[in-house]
Every structure is written in C-alpha cells, then in structure tokens.
Amino acid sequence: MAKAANDIVMDGALDIIATATRQIACSAQPTTYTEANSTYALADVTLSGGDFTKANGDTSGRKVTIGAKSGVLIDTSGTATHVALVRVSDTTLIEVTTCTSQALVANGSNTVNFPAWDIEIADPA
C-alpha cells in the first residue's frame, strides 16, 4: 500500500517555521532560545511573514524559502557555523541549521549577508 500526505500536512509545519521573527548567525549549535539569541549570537536580522515563501519541494513534498538578507550588522566577533530561526514573542527556538563556516568581525560597521535558503519536508516514502 502506498503512503501519502496532503500538502496541508506539510504546510502546517512550514507555517510554524514562518512564524520566526529573527534569523541569527551563531558560533555554535544552539539548543535553546537563549543560546541562539544571546550565548552564541554573532549577527541577527528581523524577519516578517513576507520573508517566507512556500512552494513545492525540489524533489517532493513542500518547502519554505527564507529570503536573502544583506548588510546585516555583525554584533559579536566569532566564526559563524549555524543559523537559527527564533520567535522572539514567546522565546521559541524554531529551527537550527548549519552554514558554511565564516569568520565574522564586529567593528561597528562590518556586515554579513544571509543568502536565501529553504527547509524542505519530503513526501512520505
């Protein structure tokens, strides 16, 4: 018997991801909101609903794409290894992913760019 899930099932999870209000470059993998937003935070940018776009997945299922953000001020020097999505209003750590390791230097004017990236949920196999 084949497995199937309606797109609304996957979109439900993607809708929660799209409630993130901040994207943060982190120096280590955060496991809590505080670690993402403070302990390991190097640079952050505010997100809104318009920064998220749902679509069919690249292979199957569905995905949400987080739009690119450029010229984000670096707050703390360190090496970015992870990106976290958080919802500030209720201090929720929503998603954490790895990124290409990049040294960031805070000097009051240095910036970093967050490229567009996506989170994909595959169809049941």
Side-chain angles (χ1 to χ4, degrees):
M1 174 180 251
K3 300 175 186 176
N6 190 292
D7 284 351
I8 64 171
V9 173
M10 291 164 277
D11 281 355
L14 299 178
D15 288 342
I16 292 170
I17 292 167
T19 66
T21 56
R22 185 174 292 156
Q23 179 173 220
I24 307 165
C26 297
S27 60
Q29 179 183 352
T31 59
T32 66
Y33 173 87
T34 299
E35 287 180 348
N37 198 51
S38 179
T39 308
Y40 303 134
L42 303 175
D44 64 85
V45 63
T46 299
L47 300 174
S48 65
D51 291 314
F52 300 91
T53 305
K54 287 186 299 188
N56 287 326
D58 294 332
T59 305
S60 72
R62 300 283 288 162
K63 70 179 178 180
V64 63
T65 299
I66 298 89
K69 295 287 188 174
S70 59
V72 177
L73 187 65
I74 300 169
D75 300 313
T76 304
S77 295
T79 300
T81 59
H82 290 78
V83 174
L85 297 178
V86 302
R87 189 171 50 231
V88 175
S89 64
D90 62 359
T91 64
T92 299
L93 175 62
I94 294 176
E95 176 80 16
V96 177
T97 191
T98 57
C99 64
T100 302
S101 182
Q102 180 177 353
L104 304 181
V105 178
N107 70 357
S109 62
N110 282 352
T111 61
V112 64
N113 298 328
F114 288 89
W117 58 288
D118 64 64
I119 299 165
E120 188 166 332
I121 300 174
D123 284 330

